[in-house]
Amino acid sequence: MAQSSWPSPSYNDRSVTDAEYEVLSARFSDNGVYGDPTDPAVVTEGVGLSVNVRPGVNASVRGHAWTSGTSTLTLAVAANGSSSTRTDRAILRLDRSDWTVRAVIKQGLPGSGVPTLTQQTGGTGVFEVLLANITVPPAATSVSVTRGERYVGTRVRPCTSTPLTDPNPVLGELRWETDAKRLSVYDGEELRTLHHRPDQMVIDSPFMGWSNETASVLEVRGGVACLRLGSFQRTSRALDHATNSRLPVMIPAAYRHPNRDQFGIVYITGAHIGRVTVMAKNNPLGGQVYLTQHPDIDVGDRVLSSTISWVVDH
């Protein structure tokens, strides 16, 4: 058969068959229900041996739209006359014998677990998508339902890091920020970074009383900020041991810990040790680094640091 494409003026006067439509539309949407898991369950227990499908549900199966309608849809469950529990499934089934999608019960075998979904492709057969599992005990007069609807996903949205990119993100939405080179997902409350590999950042910030002898560098990998403070020399006025002193460093706002100050050890001229504090984002001094415990420090003395790390959202 020669290659072809559709719809096209040169192909069957732009007419397509149901099978050709499926080939065209199957990947326009994932198979499943429109919505997300915070919505009410699609299938719930009904009266006696039945389950209810709530109204107003829309879904897609291999590109074929389905709706539950404007009123509750009730599906009958067969009685279980055996001595073993049976598990049925509420499913959406695309039946290519008439090209319809319907919510139906797929009955299991007592004692044999859940029935396998049939997902045939091509121009014939059926394609089934799960809505819920239904437990039917022996001689049951009612059933229990375990929700299992699958939801249509969202695409990866290319955007920039500006706050106005998308003021109304959708649960589960993936974003690739082209300027920040950041992949993030919206979890229903805020965007969470999945991947970000910013360049190594020199964070020197001149401040009176100190000079930077070696650059201070911040690197962020996999949600962890690693700070390698440089070496600092006291340049003016001796520092009393009871006085905290800001060092010539500033952590960028995006990479500060949200609510906890961080502490690190430093080595000071004369075989002394001290402590530095990296101020958290919620601290009025957020992003600043202070020498908070130390001996008396004379002009010309040096402070050498170790590495400090903390968790960030970027």
Side-chain angles (χ1 to χ4, degrees):
M1 179 179 175
Q3 64 176 323
S4 186
S5 66
W6 58 86
S8 167
S10 62
Y11 186 86
N12 200 25
D13 293 327
R14 288 192 177 274
S15 296
V16 295
T17 66
D18 292 292
E20 290 167 342
Y21 171 81
E22 182 178 340
V23 171
L24 176 69
S25 60
R27 292 304 303 144
F28 285 174
S29 166
D30 294 330
N31 298 307
V33 174
Y34 299 151
D36 61 63
T38 64
D39 295 334
V42 173
V43 180
T44 55
E45 293 88 353
V47 176
L49 295 177
S50 70
V51 297
N52 292 330
V53 179
R54 67 177 173 86
V57 179
N58 297 306
S60 176
V61 180
R62 296 287 292 174
H64 293 75
W66 170 85
T67 183
S68 61
T70 57
S71 58
T72 300
L73 171 65
T74 299
L75 302 176
V77 177
N80 182 7
S82 76
S83 59
S84 300
T85 295
R86 191 185 78 225
T87 303
D88 297 346
R89 280 182 152 172
I91 62 172
L92 292 178
R93 176 184 288 151
L94 167 64
D95 187 342
R96 296 187 186 90
S97 66
D98 59 6
W99 297 97
T100 59
V101 177
R102 294 291 184 267
V104 298
I105 302 298
K106 184 163 189 171
Q107 186 172 318
L109 294 174
S112 297
V114 296
T116 301
L117 297 180
T118 301
Q119 294 189 332
Q120 299 168 309
T121 58
T124 60
V126 300
F127 195 98
E128 299 172 339
V129 177
L130 180 64
L131 292 177
N133 285 351
I134 305 165
T135 301
V136 190
T141 57
S142 63
V143 300
S144 61
V145 173
T146 302
R147 67 185 298 181
E149 59 270 73
R150 299 315 192 235
Y151 292 94
V152 171
T154 56
R155 309 293 184 180
V156 179
R157 184 189 301 278
C159 63
T160 64
S161 56
T162 170
L164 297 180
T165 294
D166 188 353
N168 299 297
V170 177
L171 182 67
E173 178 179 314
L174 287 169
R175 290 176 33 168
W176 174 251
E177 296 173 9
T178 57
D179 54 343
K181 307 299 182 187
R182 179 166 44 229
L183 179 67
S184 57
V185 62
Y186 183 66
D187 67 359
E189 296 179 358
E190 61 181 291
L191 283 165
R192 303 286 186 180
T193 298
L194 302 178
H195 169 78
H196 186 213
R197 190 179 177 89
D199 294 333
Q200 187 181 89
M201 292 167 275
V202 175
I203 56 170
D204 294 341
S205 179
F207 195 74
M208 58 185 180
W210 296 99
S211 66
N212 296 80
E213 292 193 306
T214 305
S216 295
V217 176
L218 185 70
E219 295 186 66
V220 181
R221 298 289 184 270
V224 176
C226 297
L227 171 63
R228 191 217 66 183
L229 284 172
S231 59
F232 313 106
Q233 186 176 33
R234 189 67 183 173
T235 57
S236 64
R237 201 178 70 238
L239 183 64
D240 183 82
H241 68 275
T243 303
N244 294 340
S245 179
R246 179 183 165 187
L247 295 173
V249 175
M250 177 63 75
I251 308 298
Y255 304 110
R256 300 168 189 170
H257 192 283
N259 51 34
R260 293 185 184 276
D261 297 339
Q262 306 298 313
F263 307 103
I265 299 296
V266 292
Y267 304 92
I268 302 168
T269 298
H272 301 297
I273 62 172
R275 184 170 84 161
V276 293
T277 302
V278 181
M279 303 302 181
K281 184 182 295 186
N282 67 344
N283 189 311
L285 304 176
Q288 299 179 22
V289 179
Y290 273 77
L291 185 60
T292 48
Q293 289 179 320
H294 56 85
D296 292 337
I297 297 177
D298 294 326
V299 173
D301 284 354
R302 289 175 169 83
V303 175
L304 308 175
S305 71
S306 57
T307 299
I308 308 170
S309 62
W310 60 88
V311 175
V312 295
D313 289 332
H314 293 270

